[in-house]
Amino acid sequence: MAVALVAGVDFGTAAAAQAAAPSPPPGAVLSPDGRQAAWVSDDAKSIWSETRANAKKDWRDPERLLSIRGTVGKLVFSPDSKQLAFENPRGDHGFIAVYDVKTDQIGYVDPSFGTDSAPAWAPSGRQISFVRSYPGIPDQSLTKPVPSFGPWTPPPARANDVFTVADILQAPIAYGPEASGDGRSIAYITRAAYDRGIYFMRSGSPSHRIVNYPDDDGQELSQLAVSRAGGAIAYVRGSSPNSDGEILNPASTPDPPHREVYIVASRAGKPRLLGDGLAPAFTPDDRMMVWVNGTSIMSAALTWDDQGKLADVGSPEPLLTVPSGSPSNLRFSPDGSKLLYARSNGVEVLDMGTYTPAAIAHTGASDANPVWSPDGTQIAFRRTVSGQPWAIWVADAATLTPRRVWQASPGLGSSYYALDGNPTFESQPGDQLMWSDDGTLAFVWEADGWRHLYSVPVAGGTPTLLTPGDGEVETAQVTRDHKAIIYATNIGDIARRHLFSVGFHGGAPEAITGGRPSQWAPALLADGAVAYVEGSYNVPPTVYIRDAVGNVSKGGPDLPDSYPVNQLVEPQPVTFPSSVDHQTVHGQLFVPAHPTGCGVIFPHGGPSRQMLLGYHYYDTYTVLYEMNQYFASHGCVVLSVDYRGGIMYGNAWRTFPGRGGTSASEYQDIQGGAAFLLAQPGVEPAKVGIYGLSYGGYLTTLGVSRNSDIFKVAWDLAGNAGSAAIANLASWTAPTLIEHGDDDRNVNFSSNVAVVNAIKAQKPQLELATQVMPNEQHESYMRFRDLVDVYDTGGQWMLEHLFPGEARATVPATTAP
């Protein structure tokens, strides 16, 4: 939507001069109908425009048409004056972008890893010609269709589809629940196809959706906070910024989005925007909420009526502005009189009566993860001094005088290996240290090679192991009475997650959940109830509340009718030897109901990940699990490999020597997986492929560049292939698809630019396909349409090459949302 010029807005000297005399500046491009002029701002980040009723009327005040990632080059209006094409250079690559005046949208013409320039419209206005450049090869002159600005529809059913990619990717995903301060209610974020929403659920009552964003604009929801009495929920909308300070904009909106904090009543009402920021939190008395915006802690007063309904929200104002850094880990004292936060490797406390901050002295040390004692008189935190093992310290809340409680021993466990404090990526970070009601602190430590819970008296002493066994604690929370800890672990069931309870002083852990599904992200409620997320092999992540006697209530949303709940296979846990050193490797094997001879290797990303025997707690791996099911539905035996470098199998596996780079010791686990896969009944050597995302994409291109004799086709999603794959170009013969979003915050997009450039210059005979998603992030899943386009393209690429030239029946298209 165009933004009118207002006083004080600097949009470049050429445009500023026109504020007093509104006529287009020199160099402006005039539309064929003479009614619009456009030009590039001085910083080349925006396009400005002036319009008039007809060619004889005066020009109106300048407006900013759009701002965009990268810069803006040559502007060219379409023959009908309804669209504007322009160059969009982005460093080592660049696109031809098109702005549609009527819909106020930006689209891209055949985006690639190359650099596109010199757009020229065809007389029909339906195509654009341009020049594409790659280093080391002659420029290409191309003509491509203009992007569509109409409604998007999912791809149709493909040959032999039991269900479509869109059918399974539409499955709703529930993220980790957040509990209210009184423990009587929860809120949680969901994503289902085009919709993002927030559900609210009181113990003993059905869930209901209180926030809904159905427009598929790619703006994620995260960091829920629930007020003490459950009357309001705060949340963040929008991603974290990239290195240039840009919020993800996968829908390529002309006005770039912000990361913003909202508040909404849990009973009824519309979300209210509070401002830019993150990390919202409510005071214990529900009279105020706070959040972080840059160097400031912002605040807004809250007013409630006699029925506990949110009546009013005050104007946001700074509570505290720090001189440098950004406050994080906001924690109110139990009585609300003080606010604890971390900043610049230190711990600070804000007095809520005087708004005066004070810091715990930490000269030469780095302090993190502060947490209040149950009575609010002490603060525990983790301290690290360079060259020394990590330690637990406690400070008196009144004087902030610190003392050391305990320090890890040298050797194994001397480096802190944290709990996963944000188990679904969308949650608020959890505590790393946990207080009991009798002066005991619990923490995780890798002293025996596994990430286990231990406890130690605040007065000091010898740690007590709380969670023995092969396996690890992944997340943990203290019960509301501070007498026990609820934790998610794979101890006793290495390939799943289940919830257990253990006291601060040890004893046999008590199982809370179990069975063939996995459970994670516990939120502890009143009267012994617990909320959590569960995922099985055919039901995606769903929120449940379990009361103290074991009764379970399910939260929404429900599965859509077109979701193939009865057409999925249950993966099997398997082990096999690696190819060189014969280490035991774990994996998950998907055996199709009707094998067709094909086999697929799937290496996960990370590499610090473990896959499960069903749906995963990270939405990325929920999607990839669904793709494994899609391949299995086409008769492919799929092996997901938990190669070395992954988590939950102990320190020795996670830190195995020689990982990554040119050594890539983990690649022998992929080779061992391929041998295991080829030994499965019916798998044909000519029908084996490999695919993966991120680090899994790196292993994918490493696989086909080293072993095209084994892997006949490859699909690399945002892999950091770089020099490792380029070094093996001579033996890389298998057809390969590379897909990548160019606002990737995990893997530098330039890595795959280098790979594609090397292939085109040095090995043009290699069958290479690419798909670039402008402004999408690492997983290219911020919009449902992007997710389906990326995964449908990859799925068809794999199947077409695994079944070359085969006549395959086409089934009727399945209804998708």
Side-chain angles (χ1 to χ4, degrees), residues 761-782:
Q762 301 174 38
K763 197 158 190 177
Q765 70 273 25
L766 177 65
E767 185 183 349
L768 175 69
T770 65
Q771 180 166 238
V772 170
M773 310 300 286
N775 306 320
E776 262 286 8
Q777 47 79 284
H778 188 49
E779 295 90 354
S780 292
Y781 72 165
M782 298 305 293

Side-chain angles (χ1 to χ4, degrees), residues 451-472:
R451 180 171 56 183
H452 284 311
L453 282 171
Y454 291 78
S455 67
V456 66
V458 174
T462 302
T464 298
L465 173 63
L466 304 180
T467 57
D470 290 353
E472 302 196 348

